[in-house]
């Protein structure tokens, strides 16, 4: 016969908080995860990082882009099979933290370029080759991309760079030395250039 008092005590005890299962690993194993994403609280503000099996796909400043909007665009342009999977972004997060602390001068991340195409992709590929601590100009990267007179189009390509910081569009300036534009705002561009010149660390 059941002890009524014991049963009442069992029912009154709170259900223990159990860790949520890691759905990302199961989804990936089942071929149901195309885009993994995670957020990083960086010295420049919150960043959203996304990757595919090919490599890093997106770096977004979340104060200038809404998280849901970024994810919706990725779903529309690449795949709707998106899931938060912080472990899958361990390497990009670690390398960015090292960069902000001044301990890393290059990224060793595979890149998924599928959000870019044509001239824009060539501009970004040329920009990815600009060494740490160096700068180039819109005219120069346009030339490297095959259209030396297309400085304005090069600027537009850099303004829509899907992977700022990692693809270092902050290293591209006007021919006269002016900062030009930057997707994360000019203050961030100044800070990134200051890190790379050894004038400042952000971590």
């Amino acid at each position: 016969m059941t002890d009524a008092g014991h049963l009442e005590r069992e029912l009154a005890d709170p259900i223990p908080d159990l860790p949520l299962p890691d759905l990302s690993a199961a989804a990936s194993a089942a071929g149901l995860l195309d885009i993994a994403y995670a957020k990083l609280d960086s010295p420049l503000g919150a960043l959203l990082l996304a990757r595919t099996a090919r490599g890093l796909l997106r770096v977004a400043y979340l104060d200038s882009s809404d998280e849901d909007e970024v994810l919706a665009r990725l779903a529309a342009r690449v795949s709707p099979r998106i899931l938060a999977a912080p472990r899958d972004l361990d390497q990009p997060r670690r390398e960015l933290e090292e960069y902000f602390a001044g301990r890393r001068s290059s990224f060793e991340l595979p890149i998924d370029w599928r959000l870019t195409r044509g001239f824009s992709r060539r501009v970004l590929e040329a920009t990815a080759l600009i060494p740490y601590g160096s700068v180039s100009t819109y005219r120069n990267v346009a030339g490297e991309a095959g259209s030396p007179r297309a400085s304005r189009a090069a600027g537009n390509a850099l303004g829509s760079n899907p992977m700022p910081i990692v693809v270092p569009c902050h290293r591209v300036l006007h021919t006269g030395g002016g900062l030009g534009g930057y997707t994360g705002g000019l203050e961030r561009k100044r800070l990134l250039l200051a890190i790379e010149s050894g004038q400042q660390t952000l971590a």
Side-chain angles (χ1 to χ4, degrees), residues 67-140:
E67 178 179 345
D68 290 339
E69 179 184 347
V70 173
L71 296 177
R73 288 182 177 178
L74 291 177
R77 296 189 62 183
V78 181
S79 170
R81 300 195 295 190
I82 304 175
L83 194 63
R87 291 181 185 176
D88 287 2
L89 278 301
D90 279 350
Q91 183 184 358
R93 290 192 297 173
R94 182 178 65 255
E95 292 195 15
L96 282 164
E97 288 168 352
E98 292 169 353
Y99 168 83
F100 289 128
R103 300 194 306 271
R104 174 173 290 278
S105 59
S106 63
F107 294 100
E108 300 171 8
L109 302 168
I111 298 295
D112 184 340
W113 293 101
R114 78 180 78 181
L115 293 177
T116 65
R117 59 176 60 86
F119 178 71
S120 292
R121 178 179 296 192
R122 296 196 300 275
V123 166
L124 293 173
E125 288 173 338
T127 299
L129 299 177
I130 302 171
Y132 183 96
S134 300
V135 295
S136 187
T137 66
Y138 294 102
R139 180 182 298 171
N140 285 345

Side-chain angles (χ1 to χ4, degrees), residues 28 43 63 75 107 179:
S28 181
D63 61 347
F107 294 100
L179 284 178

Side-chain angles (χ1 to χ4, degrees), residues 2 14 16 29 37 110 121 124 127 156 190:
T2 304
Y37 77 92
R121 178 179 296 192
L124 293 173
T127 299
N156 291 337
R190 291 188 189 95

Side-chain angles (χ1 to χ4, degrees), residues 2-200:
T2 304
D3 183 328
H6 174 73
L7 182 58
E8 288 179 3
R9 287 192 298 273
E10 287 288 323
L11 293 174
D13 287 339
I15 299 173
D17 290 329
L18 298 175
L20 294 174
D22 182 1
L23 299 178
S24 61
S28 181
L32 300 175
L33 176 61
D34 292 332
I35 303 173
Y37 77 92
K39 289 187 284 187
L40 172 66
D41 290 327
S42 83
L44 294 183
L47 300 174
L48 184 143
L49 314 177
R51 67 176 297 277
T52 67
R54 299 183 190 179
L56 187 68
L57 178 72
R58 187 77 169 92
V59 177
Y61 291 110
L62 286 182
D63 61 347
S64 58
S65 298
D66 177 74
E67 178 179 345
D68 290 339
E69 179 184 347
V70 173
L71 296 177
R73 288 182 177 178
L74 291 177
R77 296 189 62 183
V78 181
S79 170
R81 300 195 295 190
I82 304 175
L83 194 63
R87 291 181 185 176
D88 287 2
L89 278 301
D90 279 350
Q91 183 184 358
R93 290 192 297 173
R94 182 178 65 255
E95 292 195 15
L96 282 164
E97 288 168 352
E98 292 169 353
Y99 168 83
F100 289 128
R103 300 194 306 271
R104 174 173 290 278
S105 59
S106 63
F107 294 100
E108 300 171 8
L109 302 168
I111 298 295
D112 184 340
W113 293 101
R114 78 180 78 181
L115 293 177
T116 65
R117 59 176 60 86
F119 178 71
S120 292
R121 178 179 296 192
R122 296 196 300 275
V123 166
L124 293 173
E125 288 173 338
T127 299
L129 299 177
I130 302 171
Y132 183 96
S134 300
V135 295
S136 187
T137 66
Y138 294 102
R139 180 182 298 171
N140 285 345
V141 295
E144 292 291 331
S147 299
R149 297 184 179 181
S151 299
R152 187 179 297 275
N156 291 337
L158 293 166
S160 59
N161 177 12
M163 289 166 287
I165 307 173
V166 175
V167 176
C169 52
H170 59 276
R171 295 177 192 160
V172 183
L173 310 177
H174 283 307
T175 301
L179 284 178
Y182 185 62
T183 185
L186 290 183
E187 185 57 32
R188 285 192 174 113
K189 188 169 188 174
R190 291 188 189 95
L191 288 170
L192 290 168
L193 292 171
I195 292 173
E196 297 184 0
S197 65
Q199 299 176 28
Q200 188 166 350

